[in-house]
Amino acid sequence: MTVRARDTDGTPRLADVATRAGVSIATASRTLSGSRAVSADLRRRVLEAADALAYTVNPHARSLAGGLTSVIGLMVYEIDDPYFAEIAGGVVEVAGGHGWSVQVSHQDRTHTSDLAGVRLLRGQRVGAIVIAGSGYRDAGKNATVNTELEAYAASGGRLVAIGHRNLDCHAVVPDNVGAARVVAEHLIALGHRRIGVISGPETLTTVVDRGRGIEDAAAAGGITDIAWAHAAFTRDGGRAATIRLLAERSDLTAVIALNDTMAIGALSVLRERGIRVPQAVSVTGIDDIQVAQDLAPALTTVRLPMASMGRQAALLALQSGPGARRVEEVEHELVVRASTAPPPA
Amino acid sequence: MTVRARDTDGTPRLADVATRAGVSIATASRTLSGSRAVSADLRRRVLEAADALAYTVNPHARSLAGGLTSVIGLMVYEIDDPYFAEIAGGVVEVAGGHGWSVQVSHQDRTHTSDLAGVRLLRGQRVGAIVIAGSGYRDAGKNATVNTELEAYAASGGRLVAIGHRNLDCHAVVPDNVGAARVVAEHLIALGHRRIGVISGPETLTTVVDRGRGIEDAAAAGGITDIAWAHAAFTRDGGRAATIRLLAERSDLTAVIALNDTMAIGALSVLRERGIRVPQAVSVTGIDDIQVAQDLAPALTTVRLPMASMGRQAALLALQSGPGARRVEEVEHELVVRASTAPPPA
DNA sequence: TTGTACGCGTTATCAG
DNA sequence: CTGATAACGCGTACAA
């Protein structure tokens, strides 16, 4: 006898369900995966059997047999950055609600690692990829990654981008230009004329877009001497950029950070130096991460609904039928708190 | 001819590598997975072929053939809570460095969902599970989850807990009792006697342990009337608990939050009411999440190295040979900032 | 509609 | 040390 009585590890297989229901494994498979119609009677029997056995499909077998897995590959920079963490929260929430898992793929803002990340995800046959990191401005760098991404989509994978438009797929995009313009306008309306911007690397499209928003507002306000300082898109980057800005232009009355994380760095430097915010210098951010309201002083910023963006992206990934490309714009809103005031007299 | 010329999606298979190297797929498999010794000559040829073809194993096929996958299932509450986000950062970092992926499983602090999470991870044959959420105090609730977890470990999965000891597996554990005692002692040393504690639900072991640390310090300091308020282990929970505490005991000079997130909630309530920190009331947290230093005022707390804990846990999961259970204690350190001062005269 | 049988890509077993 | 070959669990043409 070659009959393997009760083998492996006790996990029931599809065959067990089929046997118990008195049907073929094909029928069991069809009812469980819903790929084809099955008579109501058999359908019920299969479902009961599966339930009684506490059957769960083996995703690997399923994938090997041709399909993709119920996993969303989420590509982010630094999962411990609040911006991405909040997005991830939204993605995880929706995915979990649909029985999907979320695999976090870390990028380190180099396109080679992005490429490796995408390849890994493809190799794992994940059913969807949500790419939350900003795209690169450099077309060449984008090319390799995008090619891989599009090949993935072409082979049936669902692809959704958060925050960049230049990828040919569903996308959830904040209006980075508009958001940045709004904070700049707020400062200008308060009377600021000598403004500095602390910015992330210009290789990121998010940075470029937000920078453009500032320039738009400045031009409209007749301001021509905005001071720029570029650094990493992090708290430490914010510190470094602020220090440089202060050294170059001691007359600034306002600092615009291109995201809240950098703004936190700016605040910390100003606090160390005893420069009062907002009395001597106003500071703004963009994103409205949760802690923005609890900083010292509470940060004036522009709210982007990160968690909701994550949820939307996950929904697009899970629901997206054969339909055309969908780009969902998300609202932003100026949130005025305690870190901005008119410039000193 | 039944020969499938170039099928599926162009992804090279092990057979392709074997053919190109002029060996059997068995040999190719052995060299690539390193399961058995292979002569240096063949080994080199296989490696070259694999490299030339840009071959990557199909993890599903590998898993189906008997093994587990190179995936760490990370169970956390709220990936967007800084505490867990920082831990996740550490796990993702180490995992990525070893070619492993990280799958985030969300728990919602109910044991049924925990159970579902573990089952899902098992069903996916993940190679390791790192469970970062606090355990439950209720033995009954633990039982079902723990049984599942131990079955997982028994079947070859690597299991590592962060923050609870009562699971029979490798663990990375902070001294929650000691950490809480340290902040309480700090306040007592400053002269505080009328102290309130805002705490998470007592169903979590972390909460219970930290609470005990407070009680120890209070007893040693001869303080018997500590005021307690329980709520969710979140910012909003911190707000709710603080409001209740203030209503019951208007004479408090210090509020101990059992984690930084709740402390943030406490600070926000006190700020709204115009109660000055630390002049009127001192506030402390536990964890030292990154933003603790940037709050208003900067938070006095106890540092737990979350990122490092995540890294350690991942290493334990990936390296752990057949060795015995290892429990790694992590250091904590009181960080005195601006939110504590002697009580008002 | 339902069942049979083959293939998905690897690992493991068992001979050589 | 190396090579056939049988699983692994499931989807799905194909046939009935």
Side-chain angles (χ1 to χ4, degrees):
Chain A
M1 299 272 282
T2 324
V3 182
R4 298 171 309 109
R6 191 78 299 270
D7 57 344
T8 43
D9 56 344
T11 322
R13 298 159 299 167
L14 185 57
D16 298 323
V17 175
T19 304
R20 191 176 221 271
V23 301
S24 70
I25 62 171
T27 301
S29 170
R30 289 194 270 255
T31 74
L32 258 18
S33 68
S35 60
R36 242 183 188 59
V38 173
S39 69
D41 180 37
L42 293 191
R43 175 180 182 70
R44 187 171 36 71
R45 274 158 56 191
V46 170
L47 258 25
E48 282 178 10
D51 195 54
L53 263 36
Y55 170 78
T56 48
V57 296
N58 181 323
H60 298 114
R62 172 173 280 180
S63 167
L64 192 56
L68 298 176
T69 56
S70 300
V71 173
I72 294 181
L74 175 64
M75 305 189 64
V76 299
Y77 305 127
E78 312 298 343
I79 185 65
D80 58 345
D81 176 313
Y83 176 80
F84 293 110
E86 291 181 26
I87 286 177
V91 173
V92 169
E93 180 188 333
V94 169
H98 290 248
W100 281 53
S101 302
V102 177
Q103 209 164 93
V104 176
S105 176
H106 176 260
Q107 309 168 269
D108 58 6
R109 310 204 196 221
T110 55
H111 65 291
T112 50
S113 102
D114 285 11
L115 188 58
V118 178
R119 291 226 168 107
L120 183 59
L121 258 16
R122 279 197 76 187
Q124 293 177 142
R125 272 73 174 174
V126 299
I129 293 181
V130 172
I131 177 162
S134 169
Y136 300 103
R137 197 179 165 210
D138 181 331
K141 292 185 177 173
N142 276 323
T144 46
V145 177
N146 289 7
T147 301
E148 190 78 23
L149 245 19
E150 281 157 13
Y152 167 75
S155 70
R158 279 101 159 62
L159 181 60
V160 180
I162 294 182
H164 32 161
R165 290 193 142 78
N166 50 356
L167 213 51
D168 183 25
C169 62
H170 293 311
V172 177
V173 290
D175 175 9
N176 282 309
V177 178
R181 192 190 310 124
V182 164
V183 269
E185 287 171 349
H186 166 66
L187 289 172
I188 293 172
L190 283 173
H192 291 274
R193 308 285 301 174
R194 299 190 299 280
I195 299 175
V197 177
I198 56 180
S199 160
E202 281 192 308
T203 50
L204 303 179
T205 59
T206 301
V207 167
V208 174
D209 289 348
R210 293 183 177 180
R212 192 139 46 82
I214 310 285
E215 283 165 353
D216 287 357
I223 300 176
T224 57
D225 61 340
I226 297 268
W228 295 80
H230 293 269
F233 220 24
T234 62
R235 179 182 192 274
D236 284 344
R239 286 184 55 88
T242 303
I243 290 169
R244 239 181 299 137
L245 223 46
L246 255 28
E248 293 167 10
R249 289 279 301 270
S250 56
D251 64 334
L252 296 178
T253 64
V255 173
I256 298 177
L258 257 34
N259 71 8
D260 287 353
T261 308
M262 290 193 87
I264 290 175
L267 289 177
S268 77
V269 168
L270 295 171
R271 190 182 317 126
E272 283 172 13
R273 308 213 168 172
I275 300 175
R276 301 186 64 194
V277 177
Q279 293 83 350
V281 172
S282 287
V283 174
T284 62
I286 295 180
D287 288 343
D288 195 27
I289 58 178
Q290 286 190 32
V291 295
Q293 62 187 317
D294 298 302
L295 297 173
L299 188 66
T300 291
T301 185
V302 180
R303 175 171 304 154
L304 259 35
M306 280 82 76
S308 157
M309 287 162 63
R311 284 192 294 268
Q312 286 180 59
L315 282 174
L316 277 177
L318 299 187
Q319 305 178 329
S320 77
R325 180 183 182 206
R326 274 175 57 185
V327 175
E328 305 195 344
E329 314 260 350
V330 309
E331 300 294 312
H332 60 258
E333 176 192 7
L334 178 69
V335 180
V336 178
R337 298 209 181 89
S339 69
T340 50
Chain B
M1 296 273 283
T2 324
V3 182
R4 298 172 308 109
R6 190 78 300 266
D7 59 343
T8 44
D9 57 342
T11 321
R13 299 159 298 168
L14 185 57
D16 298 324
V17 176
T19 303
R20 192 176 221 271
V23 302
S24 69
I25 63 171
T27 300
S29 171
R30 288 194 273 255
T31 72
L32 258 16
S33 67
S35 59
R36 244 183 187 58
V38 173
S39 69
D41 181 35
L42 293 190
R43 174 181 182 70
R44 187 171 37 70
R45 274 159 53 192
V46 170
L47 259 24
E48 283 178 10
D51 195 55
L53 264 35
Y55 169 80
T56 49
V57 295
N58 180 323
H60 300 300
R62 172 173 281 180
S63 167
L64 192 56
L68 298 176
T69 57
S70 300
V71 173
I72 294 181
L74 175 64
M75 305 190 63
V76 299
Y77 305 127
E78 311 299 341
I79 186 65
D80 57 345
D81 177 312
Y83 176 80
F84 293 111
E86 291 181 26
I87 287 178
V91 173
V92 169
E93 180 188 333
V94 169
H98 290 247
W100 280 54
S101 301
V102 176
Q103 209 163 93
V104 176
S105 175
H106 175 262
Q107 311 169 267
D108 57 5
R109 311 205 195 219
T110 54
H111 65 290
T112 51
S113 102
D114 285 12
L115 187 58
V118 178
R119 290 226 168 107
L120 183 60
L121 258 16
R122 280 196 75 187
Q124 292 176 144
R125 271 73 174 173
V126 299
I129 292 181
V130 171
I131 178 163
S134 167
Y136 300 102
R137 195 180 167 209
D138 181 330
K141 292 184 178 176
N142 276 325
T144 47
V145 177
N146 290 7
T147 301
E148 190 77 24
L149 246 18
E150 280 158 13
Y152 167 75
S155 69
R158 279 100 159 62
L159 180 61
V160 180
I162 294 183
H164 32 162
R165 291 192 139 79
N166 49 356
L167 213 49
D168 183 24
C169 61
H170 294 311
V172 177
V173 289
D175 175 10
N176 281 310
V177 178
R181 192 189 311 124
V182 164
V183 270
E185 287 171 350
H186 166 66
L187 288 172
I188 293 171
L190 284 173
H192 292 274
R193 309 284 301 173
R194 298 190 301 279
I195 299 175
V197 178
I198 56 179
S199 159
E202 281 192 308
T203 50
L204 302 179
T205 58
T206 301
V207 167
V208 174
D209 288 348
R210 293 182 178 180
R212 190 139 47 82
I214 308 285
E215 282 166 354
D216 288 356
I223 300 177
T224 56
D225 60 341
I226 295 267
W228 295 80
H230 293 271
F233 220 24
T234 61
R235 180 182 190 275
D236 284 343
R239 286 184 54 87
T242 303
I243 290 170
R244 238 181 299 138
L245 223 46
L246 255 28
E248 292 167 10
R249 288 279 302 269
S250 57
D251 63 334
L252 296 179
T253 64
V255 173
I256 298 177
L258 257 36
N259 71 6
D260 287 353
T261 307
M262 291 193 87
I264 289 175
L267 289 177
S268 77
V269 168
L270 295 171
R271 190 181 318 123
E272 283 173 13
R273 309 213 168 174
I275 300 174
R276 303 185 65 193
V277 177
Q279 293 84 349
V281 173
S282 287
V283 174
T284 62
I286 294 178
D287 288 342
D288 196 27
I289 58 179
Q290 286 190 32
V291 295
Q293 62 187 317
D294 297 302
L295 297 173
L299 188 66
T300 292
T301 185
V302 181
R303 174 170 305 156
L304 259 36
M306 279 82 75
S308 158
M309 287 161 62
R311 285 192 293 269
Q312 285 181 60
L315 283 174
L316 277 177
L318 299 186
Q319 304 178 330
S320 76
R325 179 183 181 205
R326 272 175 57 185
V327 175
E328 304 194 345
E329 314 259 350
V330 310
E331 300 294 312
H332 60 257
E333 175 192 7
L334 179 69
V335 180
V336 178
R337 298 208 180 91
S339 69
T340 50

